[in-house]
């Protein structure tokens, strides 16, 4: 068994703190390539093109990115005698932070973690008493590191709650990638699988391939394989057949946004898996930190759904697989209604319907912690 406790490093600071190094997830599983991000354009491009992806990780990337840009700004203020560091430079930096946050929030609309993390960075910038740009950059760095560390802790707690649902020799089906590649820690949907492995339980994972960008076969299969966990890939269309022939104990998926009533946005195809699970009486669980719960969105109809470029479907990975001019409809996410969900696991525990009450209580508990 390989070491399931050591997830791949998805993001880290450059040595000078003025940039980020990410694992470029578009290159997996062939190549393990790291990429340096040094400008707001680099960060935006990495998020939009899914070089970094997964709701928690894009929030972390944006937060660390803003802190890195602030660090660069402070270094420039100190080295340019024309604009000496002081209250004026700090005020200029506050304005810059606002514009970086506005720009990065628009990069991907569905995952609420992105807007949530940037809102935290913005409020740190606003709270800072007028001092120097360097002091403000240091506060932003502390806040970004804390967002990253909190996510790591939440993943672990999600895993510890949800591992109670698993059994030795059992199996689960997952869709997309909600593992360590999508978060700052051991993932959300895959967290209980990692905790189970640490405890010596054998759990087999069925990973939907996840059309069109193949996060299931490229990323979930890769990261579980690296950890020595038994994984089997199936095409998305085979999930219903698996449930009738060799039903997994349960479905475990992540989420990009959970509405106040428990409707869940996740990678397109999740809704179809939930319908098939309901038909076959396979329990369906969603695992996500409370930072993915958006109490301001009443239900799934109000969740903004990102649509992707047609060529991701017509000519994915550079190979034409449809007529080059055919129309394409490509939502990146879908919404699974709360009525199909048996439980939602956050770092606060396993929540059951009615979700209006149980999710609100979980979010309030997390705010108090
Ligand atoms: O488009 P992606 O790859 O960012 O989509 C990711 C998902 O849908 C994940 O399931 C979700 O973000 C949860 S990640 C813990």
């Amino acid at each position: 068994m390989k070491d399931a406790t050591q997830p791949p490093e998805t993001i880290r600071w450059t040595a000078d703190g003025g940039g980020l190094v990410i694992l470029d997830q578009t290159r997996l599983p062939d190549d393990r390539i790291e990429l340096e991000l040094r400008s707001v354009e680099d960060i935006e491009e990495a998020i939009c093109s899914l070089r970094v992806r997964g709701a928690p990780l894009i929030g972390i990337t944006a937060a660390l990115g803003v802190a890195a840009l602030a660090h660069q700004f402070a270094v420039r203020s100190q080295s340019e005698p024309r604009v000496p560091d002081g209250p004026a430079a700090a005020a200029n930096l506050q304005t810059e932070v606002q514009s970086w946050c506005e720009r990065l929030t628009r990069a991907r609309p569905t995952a609420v973690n992105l807007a949530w993390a940037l809102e935290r960075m913005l409020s740190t910038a606003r709270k800072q008493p007028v001092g120097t740009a360097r002091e403000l950059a240091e506060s932003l760095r502390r806040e970004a590191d804390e967002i990253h560390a909190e996510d790591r802790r939440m993943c672990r707690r999600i895993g510890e709650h949800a591992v109670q649902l698993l059994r030795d020799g059992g199996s689960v089906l997952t869709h997309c990638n909600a593992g360590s590649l999508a978060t700052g820690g051991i993932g959300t949907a895959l967290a209980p699988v990692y905790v189970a492995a640490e405890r010596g339980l054998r759990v087999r994972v069925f990973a939907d391939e996840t059309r069109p960008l193949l996060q299931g076969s490229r990323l979930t299969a890769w990261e579980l394989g690296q950890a020595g966990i038994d994984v089997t890939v199936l095409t998305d269309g085979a999930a219903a057949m698996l449930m009738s022939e060799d039903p997994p104990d349960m479905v475990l998926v992540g989420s990009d946004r959970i509405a106040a009533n428990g409707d869940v946005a996740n990678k397109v195809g999740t809704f179809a898996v939930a319908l098939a699970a309901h038909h076959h009486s396979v329990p369906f669980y969603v695992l996500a930190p409370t930072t993915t719960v958006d109490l301001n969105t009443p239900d799934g109809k109000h969740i903004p759904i990102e649509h992707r470029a047609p060529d991701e479907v017509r000519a994915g990975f550079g190979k034409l697989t449809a007529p080059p001019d055919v129309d394409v409809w490509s939502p990146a996410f879908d919404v699974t209604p709360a009525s199909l969900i048996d439980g939602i696991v956050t770092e606060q525990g396993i929540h059951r319907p009615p979700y209006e009450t149980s999710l609100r209580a979980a979010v309030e508990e997390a705010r108090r912690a």
Side-chain angles (χ1 to χ4, degrees):
M1 166 73 86
K2 296 184 196 161
D3 188 357
T5 60
Q6 292 304 316
E9 195 170 35
T10 46
I11 190 162
R12 63 183 162 84
W13 297 103
T14 50
D16 69 355
L20 300 175
V21 178
I22 58 154
L23 178 62
D24 182 350
Q25 298 193 25
T26 63
R27 305 292 299 273
L28 289 170
D30 291 358
D31 301 308
R32 205 167 168 162
I33 304 279
E34 290 194 323
L35 202 69
E36 203 171 304
L37 313 178
R38 286 220 158 248
S39 64
V40 70
E41 291 80 12
D42 289 350
I43 300 162
E44 184 181 40
E45 194 277 338
I47 293 173
C48 289
S49 63
L50 275 58
R51 296 185 198 286
V52 278
R53 37 133 323 268
L57 187 62
I58 60 177
I60 292 164
T61 304
L64 295 180
V66 166
L69 297 173
H71 175 88
Q72 288 176 20
F73 183 102
V75 169
R76 276 198 307 275
S77 299
Q78 279 169 351
S79 59
E80 279 177 28
R82 279 180 300 112
V83 197
D85 196 4
N92 288 345
L93 178 51
Q94 276 175 329
T95 309
E96 288 287 324
V97 169
Q98 169 132 10
S99 94
W100 296 327
C101 288
E102 281 167 5
R103 181 169 179 167
L104 293 174
T105 302
R106 289 191 296 270
R108 294 194 78 189
T110 303
V112 73
N113 307 61
L114 178 62
W116 170 86
L118 288 166
E119 190 47 50
R120 257 179 77 164
M121 296 303 282
L122 201 51
S123 88
T124 301
R126 288 193 187 120
K127 272 201 299 247
Q128 178 81 6
V130 181
T132 62
R134 189 172 142 189
E135 284 162 357
L136 177 50
E138 282 166 358
S139 300
L140 290 165
R141 163 87 187 234
R142 279 194 296 279
E143 188 68 6
D145 281 335
E146 186 50 27
I147 288 172
H148 195 180
E150 278 173 20
D151 188 67
R152 190 173 304 124
R153 290 195 291 271
M154 290 190 291
C155 288
R156 164 90 15 212
R157 286 175 62 190
I158 289 170
E160 282 167 0
H161 291 302
V163 74
Q164 301 163 36
L165 302 167
L166 304 184
R167 67 181 174 94
D168 190 27
S171 64
V172 302
L173 170 71
T174 192
H175 188 77
C176 193
N177 173 264
S180 49
L181 287 169
T183 65
I186 57 170
T188 59
L190 298 187
V193 174
Y194 286 119
V195 174
E198 283 167 27
R199 296 182 183 178
L201 270 61
R202 289 163 303 118
V203 176
R204 180 178 187 189
V205 179
F206 288 97
D208 280 351
E209 176 183 50
T210 316
R211 285 277 296 149
L213 297 180
L214 310 185
Q215 289 93 330
S217 53
R218 287 190 308 107
L219 306 178
T220 298
W222 180 78
E223 69 162 83
L224 291 174
Q226 291 286 306
I229 290 168
D230 185 2
V231 57
T232 302
V233 169
L234 62 156
T235 58
D236 300 356
M241 181 67 171
L242 176 75
M243 290 184 207
S244 92
E245 295 265 304
D246 182 14
D249 293 336
M250 68 198 68
V251 177
L252 302 178
V253 295
S255 173
D256 289 81
R257 189 185 299 230
I258 304 176
N261 72 340
D263 290 349
V264 164
N266 191 47
K267 178 55 56 193
V268 68
T270 303
F271 181 23
V273 174
L275 286 167
H278 183 71
H279 180 83
H280 292 99
S281 304
V282 172
F284 185 95
Y285 288 95
V286 176
L287 299 88
T290 49
T291 51
T292 302
V293 179
D294 180 7
L295 296 178
N296 296 322
T297 297
D299 55 42
K301 287 199 173 52
H302 291 85
I303 298 178
I305 299 292
E306 174 187 2
H307 280 248
R308 302 286 302 178
D311 273 348
E312 288 182 350
V313 174
R314 283 190 299 233
F317 305 97
K319 167 93 182 114
L320 201 62
T321 53
D325 51 358
V326 73
D327 280 344
V328 168
W329 186 69
S330 185
F333 302 97
D334 61 23
V335 176
T336 299
S339 58
L340 294 178
I341 300 169
D342 292 279
I344 297 178
V345 186
T346 72
E347 77 280 7
Q348 300 299 327
I350 303 178
H351 316 295
R352 304 283 180 183
Y355 293 117
E356 282 86 353
T357 324
S358 57
L359 286 178
R360 183 168 295 277
V363 170
E364 284 167 4
E365 190 62 39
R367 284 187 190 143
R368 275 195 297 273

